[in-house]
Amino acid sequence: MKLIDGKKIALKIKDEIKDQVYKMIELGEKPPHLAAVIVGNDGASLTYVGSKVKSCKQVGFNSTLITLPENISENELLYEVDKLNKNNDIDGFIVQLPLPKHIDENKVTLSINPNKDVDGFHPSNFGKMALGMKSFIPATPFGIIELLDRYQIKTSGKHTVVIGRSSIVGRPISILMNSKGKSGDSTVTVVHSRTKNIKDYIKSADILISALGVPDFVKKEMVKDGVVVIDVGITRVIDENSEKGYVIKGDVDFESVKDKASYITPVPGGVGPMTIAMLLKNTLLSRSINS
Ligand code: NAP
């Protein structure tokens, strides 16, 4: 079994970005500027956004954190998005999801200027990605592709099974894995909560990408020998013995599955750090799109 070290690769990518930022500054250009909008006080969302802002500093980007109250109206939030769309100093921005229930997330996503949509959630970017055109690719699937590429894992002609069909992970990664080109050309099966005989599909996977959010869902007996396992799941599980009161669990029972896998990502330290690194990569791209 070979561990896919997302933490190490993410640090490498950040160093590469940092070098590019130095070069920009040497040429008299401004460093890229990422803004993050957070609505409310959800603990996990605050942690994610905090890490994103911290990572900007690490690579020399400018960053702006916009914290808005839980009870902000949809119109007020749309107004904030519009200001960011028009602000020439901001190259790219994200609106951290989930949003409070009274706000229509689709409406907010649609209101973001696609050229600044570094999360890659706008239909314009999603559509371009599906058509194989240059676009912002959602950071988590982008990170998975990058990991497979950097570990030189062969995907062409392989059977990839994706568990989960969300628009931020399952669906985009299934499109990318069966697209032509880098880390693609795979034959993809997407399974979800309505799939019958899900275990049969999982057992047939050469590459298994799990994004369902159920801790330890994938067990040793469900996978075949030599499988490549990418565990996207991140779930906080209460653990009174830990300092924080919870532990982070993936979808895969790592301890039992690792002996059967040829490659496997740990949780934490696998896909998670890559998501942030690829958001930074998208921000660098937005800088060139908008200048
Ligand atoms: P989501 O929107 O809740 O989607 C979950 C998907 O899994 C759905 O398609 C659902 O099927 C399917 N599913 C749920 N229970 C299932 C079951 N028992 N059997 C088969 N399929 C099942 O979640 P998400 O946003 O894609 O996130 C998935 C996980 O990845 C979460 O743990 C999340 O925290 C994590 N995540 C990690 C990162 C990272 O950076 N590492 C980034 C994003 C998300 P239906 O469609 O039929 O409901």
Side-chain angles (χ1 to χ4, degrees), residues 140 163-166 168-169 192-194 198 211-214 217 232-235 271-272 275:
T140 302
I163 315 178
R165 55 178 166 177
S166 73
I168 63 166
V169 190
H192 45 77
S193 70
R194 304 297 172 94
I198 192 167
L212 73 156
V214 178
F217 178 85
V232 185
I234 296 179
T235 308
V271 177
T275 297

Side-chain angles (χ1 to χ4, degrees), residues 110-163:
L110 280 167
S111 72
I112 296 172
N113 174 353
N115 289 342
K116 293 190 175 191
D117 168 41
V118 285
D119 260 338
F121 295 162
H122 191 285
S124 165
N125 285 314
F126 202 94
K128 283 182 178 171
M129 177 198 68
L131 292 169
M133 293 162 71
K134 200 170 168 56
S135 69
F136 293 117
I137 296 172
T140 302
F142 197 7
I144 295 170
I145 294 294
E146 195 70 21
L147 279 180
L148 292 168
D149 185 52
R150 295 210 183 208
Y151 275 83
Q152 297 181 328
I153 294 170
K154 194 171 177 290
T155 56
S156 177
K158 301 287 181 189
H159 181 209
T160 295
V161 174
V162 178
I163 315 178

Side-chain angles (χ1 to χ4, degrees), residues 262-278:
S262 53
Y263 289 87
I264 187 167
T265 58
V267 176
V271 177
M274 288 300 290
T275 297
I276 295 189
M278 300 321 275

Side-chain angles (χ1 to χ4, degrees), residues 184-223:
D185 293 322
S186 194
T187 304
V188 178
T189 304
V190 182
V191 298
H192 45 77
S193 70
R194 304 297 172 94
T195 303
K196 291 195 177 115
N197 305 323
I198 192 167
K199 287 184 180 173
D200 294 344
Y201 291 106
I202 294 173
K203 190 96 186 187
S204 69
D206 300 314
I207 300 171
L208 179 67
I209 301 177
S210 185
L212 73 156
V214 178
D216 293 342
F217 178 85
V218 178
K219 308 274 187 207
K220 182 180 184 173
E221 61 278 8
M222 290 163 72
V223 298

Side-chain angles (χ1 to χ4, degrees), residues 53-96:
V53 170
K54 199 171 121 202
S55 296
C56 283
K57 289 205 178 83
Q58 287 169 352
V59 298
F61 286 3
N62 292 329
S63 62
T64 299
L65 178 61
I66 299 163
T67 312
L68 301 170
E70 177 88 20
N71 62 356
I72 189 169
S73 72
E74 190 177 274
N75 275 341
E76 283 168 323
L77 177 58
L78 291 172
Y79 176 68
E80 293 295 330
V81 169
D82 192 49
K83 280 202 293 188
L84 290 168
N85 282 339
K86 289 176 179 154
N87 184 342
N88 290 333
D89 193 45
I90 304 284
D91 297 294
F93 66 96
I94 58 162
V95 178
Q96 184 68 38

Side-chain angles (χ1 to χ4, degrees), residues 33-48:
H33 189 164
L34 175 74
V37 178
I38 176 135
V39 179
N41 295 310
D42 177 69
S45 293
L46 285 167
T47 308
Y48 294 145

